[in-house]
Amino acid sequence: MFRQLSARFGGPLAVAILTLLGIWLIVMVTLPQLQMIDYSLRPNLLPAQVGGPEDRLTIANYATLFNNDIHRAIFFKTLWSSVLVTVLTLIVSYPLAWYLAKVATPRQAALCILLLIIPFWINEILRTYSWFIILAFRGPLNEVLLMLGLIDRPIRFLSGDAGVMVGMVYAYILFMVFPVYNAIESLDDNQVRAARDLGAGTVRTHRRIVIPHAKPGIATGCIMTFMLAAGSYAVPALLGSPGSRWFTQIIYNWFFEGGNWNQGAAYAFLLLVLCIGFMSLVMKIFKVGLGDIAK
C-alpha cells in the first residue's frame, strides 16, 4: 500500500496519509472496541464498588444470553432475519444493477441512479416513518388494494416482520446495488455476446458469466447489507410489532433503560462477533479475499 501511495502522491504525503489512517483506526475503532470488551467482562457495580474486591473479570454477562430463553430466541431470530433481508435485497438489486450497467443508456442510467439517491437525502427515521404510513392498517397501500378489489379487508402489514423486511430492503438497497453495479460494469460485453452466440440463454449466461465476474461486488453488498440489517435499530423500532423485536433493541434497553452498560457491552460484542462470522462465511462461499472486496 505504501509503495502504491508513494508512486501516486509522493513519499511524504503517503506517510501522512498512512499516519492519519492509523490514528483514525486506533482512536475510532480499536480503542472503543477494547473498552467495550473490558466493560463486557466486568460486573455491573456501583461507583463506590469499582476497583474493589467484586470488580473482577467474569463471563457472567455473556452467560446471560444463553440463560435467557427470550433473548437467545431474539438473537437467533435477528440472525435469520438479517440473512433473509440480505437475500431479498440481492434479489431486488441484481436485476437493477444489471439494467444500469449493461442495458440502460447513459441518460437512463443517470436518471435511475438519481431517483435511487434522492430519497436518501432524507433522514433514515423519516424514510422509515413514511413506510409506517404506507403500511398502516388504514394506510394508502390497504386503501389501494381495497379499491382494486384485491382484498376484502385491510391487512395488518405491521403486525409481524413483513413491515420490517420491506423497510430494511428499502433502507439498504443502495449498499447492494452500487457494489454489484460496479462489478458488472467492468465485465467485457464481448463475453456476454460470445455466450449468447454459443447458444447460452439468459439464465445460463448470468450463472456462468455475469455472476462469477460479479462475485466481489455481490460479496461486498451482502456483507454491508447484513451488517446494517443486524445492527439496525430505527427500522424494527418503527415498523416492528412487540412480537418482532430486534437484538439491537435489547442492547439499547440494557444501555439506556436498564443502565447496565456491562451487560449491554457483552450483547453488543456478541453482535459484532456475529457480523464478523457472517463476513468470513460470505468471503469463503464466494471465494474472495479482502483485496477483492476492497476493489
Side-chain angles (χ1 to χ4, degrees), residues 93-108:
S93 301
Y94 181 83
L96 181 57
W98 168 257
Y99 171 79
L100 291 173
K102 297 300 180 183
V103 179
T105 63
R107 184 183 182 89
Q108 292 171 337

Side-chain angles (χ1 to χ4, degrees), residues 15-128:
V15 171
I17 292 173
L18 291 177
T19 300
L20 292 174
L21 178 62
I23 293 173
W24 182 84
L25 288 174
I26 292 173
V27 175
M28 301 298 295
V29 179
T30 305
L31 292 180
Q33 296 300 328
L34 291 176
Q35 186 174 17
M36 183 179 70
I37 294 173
D38 180 66
Y39 267 112
S40 70
L41 293 173
R42 297 186 182 278
N44 185 36
L45 301 173
L46 296 173
Q49 296 175 304
V50 175
E54 297 181 9
D55 188 7
R56 61 185 184 277
L57 299 180
T58 176
I59 61 170
N61 294 321
Y62 292 94
T64 300
L65 175 64
F66 302 99
N67 295 330
N68 190 310
D69 294 337
I70 296 176
H71 289 184
R72 187 172 65 251
I74 293 174
F75 178 80
F76 287 110
K77 178 230 172 186
T78 300
L79 167 62
W80 161 246
S81 299
S82 299
V83 171
L84 182 58
V85 167
T86 303
V87 173
L88 292 174
T89 307
L90 177 59
I91 292 173
V92 173
S93 301
Y94 181 83
L96 181 57
W98 168 257
Y99 171 79
L100 291 173
K102 297 300 180 183
V103 179
T105 63
R107 184 183 182 89
Q108 292 171 337
L111 178 61
C112 188
I113 291 174
L114 188 63
L115 292 175
L116 284 171
I117 292 177
I118 285 177
F120 286 79
W121 294 351
I122 304 172
N123 184 275
E124 180 183 356
I125 295 178
L126 295 179
R127 285 187 281 113
T128 303

Side-chain angles (χ1 to χ4, degrees), residues 207-233:
R207 182 169 60 86
R208 299 291 297 273
I209 304 296
V210 182
I211 293 178
H213 179 83
K215 283 195 302 183
I218 294 173
T220 302
C222 289
I223 290 171
M224 294 177 66
T225 303
F226 176 87
M227 296 182 73
L228 288 169
S232 177
Y233 176 80

Side-chain angles (χ1 to χ4, degrees), residues 231-245:
S232 177
Y233 176 80
V235 177
L238 288 175
L239 299 180
S241 63
S244 59
R245 299 184 72 189

Side-chain angles (χ1 to χ4, degrees), residues 177-196:
V177 167
F178 285 138
V180 179
Y181 163 74
N182 289 332
I184 294 178
E185 189 181 34
S186 64
L187 175 65
D188 188 354
D189 293 340
N190 291 323
Q191 296 186 40
V192 178
R193 294 193 191 99
R196 290 174 177 171

Side-chain angles (χ1 to χ4, degrees), residues 136-206:
F137 186 68
R138 289 295 182 182
L141 180 58
N142 269 318
E143 294 298 331
V144 170
L145 294 176
L146 287 170
M147 183 178 62
L148 295 175
L150 298 177
I151 57 176
D152 297 328
R153 61 180 63 88
I155 301 174
R156 294 189 180 276
F157 293 106
L158 301 177
S159 62
D161 293 326
V164 177
M165 296 294 168
V166 171
M168 285 194 174
V169 170
Y170 171 75
Y172 308 130
I173 189 171
L174 288 186
F175 297 95
M176 183 70 76
V177 167
F178 285 138
V180 179
Y181 163 74
N182 289 332
I184 294 178
E185 189 181 34
S186 64
L187 175 65
D188 188 354
D189 293 340
N190 291 323
Q191 296 186 40
V192 178
R193 294 193 191 99
R196 290 174 177 171
D197 291 341
L198 293 172
T202 301
V203 175
R204 191 173 185 184
T205 300
H206 282 271

